[in-house]
Amino acid sequence: MTEEDEEFQRLEREAKMRRMAEEDDDIQDYRKPWVNLSDSQLEAIYYEVVAEHRGAPMPWGQVVFAKAVQAMLRELNT
């Protein structure tokens, strides 16, 4: 067997190993499932924001509520 034949066989083995690795369905990335807020969690956030910002201009209370919901979702899903 010549050096050229050995090199060809080595390259064939490497290519076969790459194909096998690409076809392997057992290797999967784990993704944490998305967690939504329950109605009671949303209600708790709402009442907390209302208690703290009662009397504030209407849009400001809504912005604070939205940011509180975002923070809670971020906490649950990271």
Side-chain angles (χ1 to χ4, degrees), residues 4 7 9 13-14 18 22 24 31 33 37 40 42-46 50 55 57-58 62 66 71 74-75 78:
E4 191 175 282
E7 179 68 13
Q9 286 181 349
R13 283 192 307 270
E14 288 177 3
R18 277 194 298 274
E22 290 171 359
D24 187 3
R31 283 191 154 182
L37 295 176
S40 61
L42 283 170
E43 188 177 352
I45 293 170
Y46 172 77
V50 167
M58 180 69 163
Q62 293 171 342
R74 190 175 301 114
E75 180 183 320
T78 55

Side-chain angles (χ1 to χ4, degrees), residues 7-52:
E7 179 68 13
F8 181 75
Q9 286 181 349
R10 183 185 68 78
L11 291 173
E12 275 188 324
R13 283 192 307 270
E14 288 177 3
K16 183 179 179 181
M17 289 174 61
R18 277 194 298 274
R19 281 192 308 272
M20 287 174 56
E22 290 171 359
E23 294 172 0
D24 187 3
D25 289 341
D26 294 339
I27 301 172
Q28 298 174 354
D29 292 333
Y30 174 74
R31 283 191 154 182
K32 182 180 173 184
W34 180 261
V35 179
N36 285 320
L37 295 176
S38 67
D39 290 343
S40 61
Q41 288 172 312
L42 283 170
E43 188 177 352
I45 293 170
Y46 172 77
Y47 285 120
E48 183 179 315
V49 169
V50 167
E52 188 174 330

